[in-house]
Amino acid sequence: MSSLNNKVSHTVALGDGRRASNGMDTFIKRITMEAGKAVLKRFGKDGVHYSKSKHAYDVVTKADLLSEKMIISAILKKYPAHSILSEEEGEINAGSDYRWIIDPIDGTMNFASSVPLFGVMVCLAHRNTVKLSAIYLPVTDELFFAEADKGAYLNGKRIHCSTTKKLDASSGCGFVGSRKRTLNFVKKLLGVIRGEQLFLNSFGCISMNSCYVACGRKDWAVSLYGEIHDFAPTYLILKEAGCTVTNCKGEPWKMGDNEAVAANPPLHLQLLKLTKGV
Amino acid sequence: MSSLNNKVSHTVALGDGRRASNGMDTFIKRITMEAGKAVLKRFGKDGVHYSKSKHAYDVVTKADLLSEKMIISAILKKYPAHSILSEEEGEINAGSDYRWIIDPIDGTMNFASSVPLFGVMVCLAHRNTVKLSAIYLPVTDELFFAEADKGAYLNGKRIHCSTTKKLDASSGCGFVGSRKRTLNFVKKLLGVIRGEQLFLNSFGCISMNSCYVACGRKDWAVSLYGEIHDFAPTYLILKEAGCTVTNCKGEPWKMGDNEAVAANPPLHLQLLKLTKGV
């Protein structure tokens, strides 16, 4: 434990029955929603500010930077000793046991092209275990929240993943494109499915995929590319909604896994057969 | 020409330079937007009212029926002799040369499960040729409109399809699922693509796919299943935005084709190689 961390004494849910009694749950919800509402005000106005790589989805808008600034400022003010890892800004205050992980806009490519599929994600990890997570989908004014061992919620109501059992008749979420592992997975999936009842949405937005699976709108999500800010916040929402969340090999998802397979347990088993080795 | 039709004398654009001078353009935009705004008010509230088939997407909500009623009432009041073909209601006043084709909610499965991807579509055909079309995407308050030979517009501004030339680096829209022709197409597509720059969105909403291609947000759309109310309204918006729109064999899209391949000319040629025979 770092010396920085010794100075703080927040009781975020630690799996021992204590709650985030000092208002961390309220705080994370508030900052995520506030940033999301600011982002929404810029929707349809912001184009791409700059590109981070050759990939079309790897872009940044002014709204990403605004959202990030709002969230980081709020955390630094209230929890100055905590570590922060944010998509654009990188690492701040490295070394604390408490680490906030931020995706200021997930689905930036959609946002920048006026496609209403994007979210703002913030989570708090304690010693690399995610304890609190908030995802706000501004267009539909939906706030998804989870606290470790305390369940997942949509606008304050408890949510659960679907009970669909057959992959052949399920509705999944994933990215469809020509990156190698995606190709492998989609080809395998389309090769084994029998019947005409499978649907695969490709929204281009991991926050939306995950929240939709968590509340049972969709049955499963497979994400083969991404970074810590994509997976840490979505992991806890999915897990607390009853999903099994693993890497492609089937090991429980942990910080550092840049892939995730999430579904209710019977569907998850069927998906794992397809994701192993992709 | 039916006797009913002889009673009306509207000058909808007939390709001879005459405009819809009697306000049909204003009328179609108004009724489409009004229905869309009514639909939006019910978004997040309406579940599935009934199912039309075993397919999960083949559902009807109370909002579909409300939207349909609003649009049909308005048409019957203003153009009582015209034919109307609507998704849920079927054919009304069959036999007129003028025929309104209505999809009261396109993307009902999304709408019913609180996914913000749906549209309201109305078009007017004269002797089986689409002359006017309006598509309203309520969530983003976007009205797409086209008049034959007069261009396509988004909220009053002229729009054009993208100029992307390489399918390998394009962003497409299509439905991904396990219906046979879809499987064939997606497998062929993923088999020929080189590099990691292809993206395929599967929004589950043909109105959105088509409008996004028409305004250049996405590069192409392939739709292999659907009905006249899916294709007639989207066809004109796409064509007037500069797309080539054909059936899978490459013949110009015509009323009765329940499939469509749409893109700028060079991309369209590349897509046709994949859609022939699926």
Side-chain angles (χ1 to χ4, degrees):
Chain A
M1 190 183 283
S2 76
S3 61
L4 275 172
N5 190 60
N6 284 333
K7 294 177 194 164
V8 295
S9 59
H10 311 296
T11 56
V12 68
L14 295 167
D16 59 0
R18 283 182 291 160
R19 281 188 61 84
S21 55
N22 53 358
M24 275 182 149
D25 50 351
T26 306
F27 174 74
I28 193 172
K29 289 182 210 171
R30 180 174 62 75
I31 61 172
T32 308
M33 280 187 80
E34 282 176 359
K37 286 178 191 291
V39 163
L40 186 62
K41 280 189 188 161
R42 299 197 67 87
F43 180 57
K45 296 171 189 151
D46 277 9
V48 171
H49 190 44
Y50 58 84
S51 293
K52 292 189 285 185
S53 77
K54 62 177 183 172
H55 290 296
Y57 52 81
D58 215 5
V59 293
V60 179
T61 68
K62 286 184 179 173
D64 288 86
L65 303 178
L66 171 68
S67 171
E68 183 170 69
K69 191 176 169 186
M70 287 176 71
I71 296 168
I72 291 177
S73 302
I75 295 170
L76 286 177
K77 191 171 170 192
K78 194 161 173 93
Y79 304 107
H82 286 191
S83 298
I84 299 173
L85 179 67
S86 187
E87 185 179 6
E88 315 309 336
E89 192 66 34
E91 192 91 37
I92 298 170
N93 282 347
S96 167
D97 277 2
Y98 289 97
R99 189 190 203 197
W100 298 81
I101 299 166
I102 302 166
D103 192 344
I105 300 180
D106 170 64
T108 300
M109 187 170 75
N110 287 335
F111 177 83
S113 54
S114 297
V115 178
L117 304 173
F118 53 90
V120 174
M121 310 203 279
V122 181
C123 74
L124 174 64
H126 179 257
R127 297 185 188 176
N128 266 337
T129 300
V130 187
K131 296 297 184 181
L132 293 175
S133 178
I135 301 179
Y136 185 59
L137 304 181
V139 169
T140 47
D141 191 27
E142 293 179 307
L143 179 71
F144 292 80
F145 169 77
E147 183 173 345
D149 305 317
K150 303 285 178 185
Y153 299 83
L154 162 53
N155 290 348
K157 280 192 183 170
R158 185 77 184 253
I159 52 173
H160 301 278
C161 59
S162 83
T163 55
T164 302
K165 288 193 170 48
K166 286 180 64 184
L167 188 61
D168 280 340
S170 69
S171 180
C173 294
F175 190 78
V176 181
S178 59
R179 294 182 81 173
K180 198 175 171 197
R181 301 182 69 207
T182 305
L183 276 180
N184 289 345
F185 171 69
V186 176
K187 283 180 184 172
K188 280 174 85 170
L189 174 72
L190 298 183
V192 302
I193 291 298
R194 298 288 166 263
E196 298 196 330
Q197 303 287 315
L198 173 91
F199 303 106
L200 175 55
N201 277 120
S202 171
F203 294 131
C205 182
I206 194 173
S207 55
M208 190 161 271
N209 293 350
S210 307
C211 289
Y212 285 4
V213 173
C215 71
R217 275 178 209 163
K218 302 290 171 187
D219 299 315
W220 53 267
V222 170
S223 306
L224 300 172
Y225 294 93
E227 296 182 53
I228 185 172
H229 51 78
D230 295 305
F231 293 108
T234 52
Y235 156 76
L236 190 65
I237 306 268
L238 287 160
K239 179 168 179 281
E240 289 297 325
C243 288
T244 304
V245 191
T246 68
N247 61 22
C248 288
K249 293 182 211 158
E251 298 160 347
W253 186 90
K254 64 186 181 307
M255 204 72 83
D257 284 334
N258 286 337
E259 59 187 33
V261 182
N264 66 50
L267 273 186
H268 184 271
L269 276 176
Q270 295 164 71
L271 285 166
L272 267 192
K273 290 181 190 166
L274 303 173
T275 60
K276 278 182 181 167
V278 297
Chain B
M1 191 183 283
S2 76
S3 60
L4 275 172
N5 191 60
N6 284 333
K7 296 176 194 164
V8 294
S9 59
H10 310 297
T11 55
V12 68
L14 294 167
D16 59 359
R18 282 183 291 161
R19 282 189 59 86
S21 55
N22 54 0
M24 275 181 150
D25 50 351
T26 307
F27 175 74
I28 194 172
K29 289 183 209 170
R30 179 175 63 76
I31 62 172
T32 308
M33 278 188 79
E34 281 175 0
K37 286 178 190 292
V39 163
L40 186 60
K41 279 188 188 161
R42 300 196 67 87
F43 180 57
K45 295 170 188 152
D46 276 10
V48 172
H49 190 42
Y50 58 84
S51 293
K52 293 189 285 184
S53 77
K54 63 176 182 173
H55 290 295
Y57 52 81
D58 215 6
V59 294
V60 179
T61 68
K62 286 184 178 173
D64 289 87
L65 304 178
L66 171 68
S67 170
E68 183 169 67
K69 193 176 169 186
M70 288 176 71
I71 296 167
I72 291 177
S73 304
I75 295 170
L76 285 177
K77 192 171 169 192
K78 195 161 174 92
Y79 304 107
H82 286 191
S83 297
I84 300 172
L85 179 67
S86 186
E87 184 177 7
E88 316 307 337
E89 192 65 34
E91 192 90 37
I92 297 170
N93 282 348
S96 166
D97 277 2
Y98 289 96
R99 190 191 203 195
W100 298 80
I101 299 166
I102 302 166
D103 192 344
I105 301 180
D106 169 65
T108 300
M109 187 170 76
N110 287 336
F111 177 83
S113 55
S114 297
V115 178
L117 304 174
F118 53 90
V120 174
M121 309 203 279
V122 180
C123 73
L124 174 64
H126 179 257
R127 298 186 189 173
N128 267 337
T129 301
V130 187
K131 295 296 183 180
L132 293 175
S133 179
I135 302 179
Y136 185 59
L137 305 181
V139 168
T140 47
D141 191 26
E142 292 178 308
L143 180 70
F144 292 79
F145 169 76
E147 184 174 345
D149 304 319
K150 302 285 178 185
Y153 299 82
L154 162 54
N155 290 348
K157 281 192 182 169
R158 186 78 185 254
I159 53 173
H160 300 280
C161 59
S162 83
T163 54
T164 302
K165 288 194 172 46
K166 286 180 64 183
L167 189 61
D168 280 339
S170 70
S171 179
C173 293
F175 191 78
V176 182
S178 59
R179 294 182 81 173
K180 197 174 171 199
R181 301 181 70 207
T182 306
L183 276 180
N184 290 345
F185 171 69
V186 176
K187 283 179 185 172
K188 278 174 86 171
L189 174 72
L190 298 183
V192 302
I193 291 298
R194 298 288 166 264
E196 299 196 331
Q197 302 287 314
L198 174 90
F199 303 106
L200 176 55
N201 277 120
S202 172
F203 293 132
C205 183
I206 192 173
S207 54
M208 189 161 272
N209 293 349
S210 307
C211 290
Y212 285 4
V213 173
C215 71
R217 277 177 207 162
K218 302 290 169 186
D219 299 314
W220 53 267
V222 170
S223 306
L224 300 171
Y225 294 92
E227 297 181 54
I228 185 171
H229 51 76
D230 295 307
F231 293 108
T234 52
Y235 156 75
L236 190 64
I237 306 268
L238 286 160
K239 180 168 177 282
E240 289 297 325
C243 289
T244 304
V245 191
T246 68
N247 61 23
C248 288
K249 293 181 210 157
E251 299 160 347
W253 186 90
K254 63 184 181 309
M255 204 73 83
D257 284 335
N258 285 337
E259 58 187 33
V261 182
N264 65 50
L267 272 186
H268 185 271
L269 275 177
Q270 296 164 71
L271 285 167
L272 267 192
K273 291 182 191 166
L274 303 173
T275 61
K276 278 183 181 166
V278 296

